[in-house]
Amino acid sequence: MVANILEMRSITKTFPGVKALQEVSLSVERGEVHAICGENGAGKSTLMKVLSGVYPHGSYDGEIVFEGDPVEFRDIRDSEKSGIVIIHQELALSPFLSIAENIFLGNEISRRGFIDWDKTNLEAAKLLARVGLSDNPTTKVVDIGVGKQQLVEIAKALSKEVKLLILDEPTAALNDEDSAHLLDLIRHLKEQGITSIIISHKLNEIKAIADKVTIIRDGKTIETLDMRKDEISENRIIKGMVGRDLEHRYPDRTPKIGDEVLRIEDWTVHHPTEHDRVVIHGANIVARAGEVVGIAGLMGAGRTELAMSVFGRSYGSGISGRVYMHGDEVKVRTVSDAIKAGIAYATEDRKRYGLNLLEDVKRNVSAASLDKLARLGWVDGNQEHIVANEYRTSMNIKAPSVESITGKLSGGNQQKVVLSKWMFADPDVLILDEPTRGIDVGAKYEIYTIINKLAAEGKAIIVISSELPELLGISDRIYALSEGHITGEMSIADATPEALMQYMTKEKEK
């Protein structure tokens, strides 16, 4: 039996005007967990799409050898027949089908030309048990959380007798508990002889689980590090990814905090459909000019619900309380009201709510501020192009032109487009919900630099983040949220992970 289950040799993949991969080589040992790291746009996902047949043989140069034999996959079904299964960051589950239906979709268990539902549900239950789920196989996918959906995807892969499992950012949308469960499952699969390739930006998880790490930069293989033989630090991986040492993960900043810009008083929000259920309880928040205010909280604490409800009541029902801008009460009944008042909100789900992925960069940058470009009721296309190009340059958005389709950009560059949209709107308060989720450390540093620049211009910045080190690294002051209650407020001088966690897990007073 060959030691390497997979060898990709001198893979080159070209798109019109862009060489995404250039002579990339990758060797993966049988039964190991192999991580692939690199900045957004480095070519990681492209390489895995070549491997899995999403980009078929003939559309790239180079050779793929699987289990000792050269393979030429024409599509994803070909690779799955060989035992290679890829789970993309955007899960490919049908929400209104049952768990069992999703697991065997396209691979149905039939008898005499009809689906055998009893056997389908029985086999699905066995697969769910293998990934640590006890849910009823007839449960609709829409009724389970994202963490369980990720496990259903793995159960689906196991149903195809997977030999090599590819996971693209598997924990990007998961909380800490679900992430830990998933990593444990990958270790368990390793014990069963299943090889895994993981693409991830979470270097602490890579250190915890990977046997080897291959680093790709600018479409080229830089190096492969053996995590079992060497003491490989996160900074060592970062150096390979970005081509330089990041001595400080967060750029230096000397805050110049001015007068109060935003004040939220006694803000209470009920669930949009369960009207008796209170989601936010009497929240009070202040943000000042030039200040970066962090909001910390566990999943389900109400962070996003708070932000969205303030931003034109985008979430919730039965909302009460007051919002003040520069000391004057403002009404924020609609998104347009919020924008006119000087409040902007960059959503945590940029792909679904923050951008039109089918439109170009230009249209996305101008989307929230078309009135600024209007001439006699019509948008001035030339001015729109000029403005978008200025942001493409100043924000270092890696796109050939502002006519590039936004959905084809990397996650980090998409996030820069979102920020450009709101910078052009010129708000006084910018609420950033998970601004660095799913992007690499190099792009994160650029986002932090942009945040600092906006604060230096006198904007009040509110940052919601699940990463405590991030909040501690960029904030001047942090509010903690637990079960919809503001449970604490700390200056950065007093804030520690332990103190914040105490507030974040504090139960509401009886």
Side-chain angles (χ1 to χ4, degrees):
M1 186 178 291
V2 293
N4 288 337
I5 191 172
L6 171 71
E7 292 186 24
M8 302 183 75
R9 301 170 180 169
S10 301
I11 302 296
T12 298
K13 173 66 179 173
T14 303
F15 298 102
V18 180
K19 186 166 280 190
L21 299 172
Q22 189 171 346
E23 299 284 324
V24 172
S25 295
L26 173 70
S27 296
V28 179
E29 290 182 26
R30 188 181 299 277
E32 76 174 355
V33 178
H34 197 113
I36 299 179
C37 291
E39 294 189 86
N40 287 98
K44 309 180 298 295
S45 294
T46 300
L47 184 65
M48 292 300 98
K49 287 177 179 177
V50 167
L51 172 58
S52 59
V54 174
Y55 297 137
H57 179 76
S59 68
Y60 60 87
D61 295 322
E63 183 182 29
I64 301 175
V65 177
F66 187 66
E67 294 195 304
D69 297 318
V71 291
E72 299 178 353
F73 298 136
R74 294 165 297 177
D75 53 34
I76 200 164
R77 281 183 173 272
D78 266 2
S79 64
E80 288 183 350
K81 287 176 184 175
S82 295
I84 299 173
V85 179
I86 184 169
I87 299 176
H88 298 282
Q89 185 174 352
E90 286 79 27
L91 301 180
L93 297 174
S94 180
F96 297 107
L97 294 181
S98 71
I99 293 173
E101 287 171 314
N102 270 281
I103 288 175
F104 292 105
L105 189 62
N107 188 32
E108 289 81 5
I109 300 173
S110 61
R111 184 175 61 179
R112 297 175 184 172
F114 294 92
I115 294 176
D116 186 337
W117 289 113
D118 289 339
K119 189 168 184 182
T120 295
N121 291 326
L122 179 63
E123 293 301 318
K126 292 178 182 177
L127 290 166
L128 291 177
R130 286 185 66 184
V131 299
L133 288 180
S134 57
D135 296 66
N136 191 317
T138 62
T139 303
K140 288 183 179 179
V141 163
V142 72
D143 294 328
I144 62 176
V146 176
K148 288 185 177 181
Q149 289 179 23
Q150 188 72 266
L151 298 178
V152 169
E153 280 276 25
I154 294 177
K156 186 175 179 179
L158 294 176
S159 75
K160 298 171 182 176
E161 298 183 2
V162 61
K163 299 174 183 175
L164 174 62
L165 181 64
I166 305 166
L167 301 111
D168 192 351
E169 295 290 350
T171 64
L174 304 187
N175 60 31
D176 291 343
E177 182 179 351
D178 286 340
S179 295
H181 185 181
L182 181 60
L183 296 182
D184 283 341
L185 175 59
I186 293 169
R187 293 186 186 98
H188 183 59
L189 294 177
K190 176 183 174 180
E191 293 170 359
Q192 297 176 29
I194 295 174
T195 308
S196 297
I197 295 177
I198 297 179
I199 298 173
S200 178
H201 293 126
K202 296 184 179 181
L203 300 186
N204 59 324
E205 293 180 356
I206 293 300
K207 276 200 69 182
I209 198 169
D211 299 305
K212 288 183 181 176
V213 177
T214 292
I215 297 172
I216 297 177
R217 185 171 74 234
D218 297 329
K220 300 176 182 177
T221 309
I222 301 301
E223 59 185 337
T224 295
L225 305 172
D226 192 331
M227 306 295 284
R228 298 165 295 189
K229 295 181 180 178
D230 308 307
E231 281 296 322
I232 306 296
S233 65
E234 290 184 25
N235 285 336
R236 174 68 184 82
I237 298 172
I238 291 170
K239 182 178 180 181
M241 289 170 59
V242 302
R244 64 190 187 280
D245 287 309
L246 279 182
E247 295 179 4
H248 304 287
R249 297 280 184 93
Y250 308 99
D252 292 330
R253 169 171 164 264
T254 302
K256 295 181 180 178
I257 299 173
D259 296 332
E260 176 187 299
V261 177
L262 171 72
R263 175 181 291 272
I264 301 168
E265 287 188 352
D266 198 25
W267 196 253
T268 297
V269 181
H270 292 76
H271 192 275
T273 56
E274 301 171 28
H275 302 307
D276 293 335
R277 179 178 153 205
V278 181
V279 179
I280 303 296
H281 302 257
N284 294 284
I285 291 177
V286 171
R288 299 177 176 84
E291 184 178 35
V292 179
V293 177
I295 297 184
L298 300 175
M299 293 288 285
R303 299 166 303 169
T304 293
E305 292 81 356
L306 171 61
M308 290 182 67
S309 62
V310 171
F311 186 61
R313 307 196 174 196
S314 303
Y315 172 91
S317 65
I319 298 173
S320 61
R322 296 165 297 282
V323 176
Y324 296 87
M325 290 292 292
H326 303 288
D328 297 322
E329 186 172 2
V330 295
K331 300 301 181 184
V332 288
R333 288 176 289 245
T334 66
V335 169
S336 294
D337 285 347
I339 294 173
K340 287 175 183 175
I343 302 171
Y345 169 65
T347 171
E348 65 175 334
D349 191 344
R350 59 178 174 266
K351 291 181 182 291
R352 182 178 300 179
Y353 300 119
L355 296 167
N356 184 338
L357 297 178
L358 300 178
E359 276 287 8
D360 58 25
V361 172
K362 175 182 64 181
R363 293 291 172 85
N364 275 286
V365 170
S366 65
S369 311
L370 291 175
D371 57 321
K372 289 188 173 186
L373 300 166
R375 301 288 184 272
L376 301 175
W378 296 88
V379 173
D380 184 335
N382 289 332
Q383 189 61 28
E384 185 182 35
H385 188 282
I386 290 169
V387 167
N389 210 40
E390 287 174 353
Y391 281 106
R392 182 176 75 94
T393 302
S394 64
M395 298 284 279
N396 192 28
I397 298 171
K398 295 177 182 175
S401 74
V402 293
E403 277 79 29
S404 300
I405 300 302
T406 309
K408 295 186 179 298
L409 304 182
S410 67
N413 287 301
Q414 288 179 1
Q415 188 70 333
K416 291 178 190 176
V417 174
V418 172
L419 292 177
S420 297
K421 174 178 72 174
W422 291 118
M423 289 170 70
F424 181 47
D426 194 26
D428 294 327
V429 176
L430 180 56
I431 305 171
L432 303 175
D433 195 349
E434 302 286 1
T436 64
R437 171 174 286 171
I439 63 178
D440 62 80
V441 288
K444 281 184 178 182
Y445 192 90
E446 290 185 277
I447 299 297
Y448 300 147
T449 301
I450 292 166
I451 291 172
N452 288 354
K453 177 177 178 292
L454 292 170
E457 292 173 359
K459 311 291 186 189
I461 312 295
I462 297 176
V463 178
I464 299 169
S465 177
S466 299
E467 299 183 27
L468 289 185
E470 179 171 82
L471 288 180
L472 292 166
I474 65 175
S475 303
D476 300 308
R477 194 161 46 87
I478 301 176
Y479 289 98
L481 197 63
S482 176
E483 297 182 4
H485 296 261
I486 298 288
T487 51
E489 175 190 352
M490 306 184 78
S491 71
I492 200 61
D494 300 325
T496 63
E498 294 78 15
L500 284 173
M501 189 56 70
Q502 282 187 335
Y503 282 126
M504 289 160 58
T505 56
K506 185 177 181 181
E507 293 185 3
K508 62 183 178 183
E509 295 180 2
K510 303 293 185 184

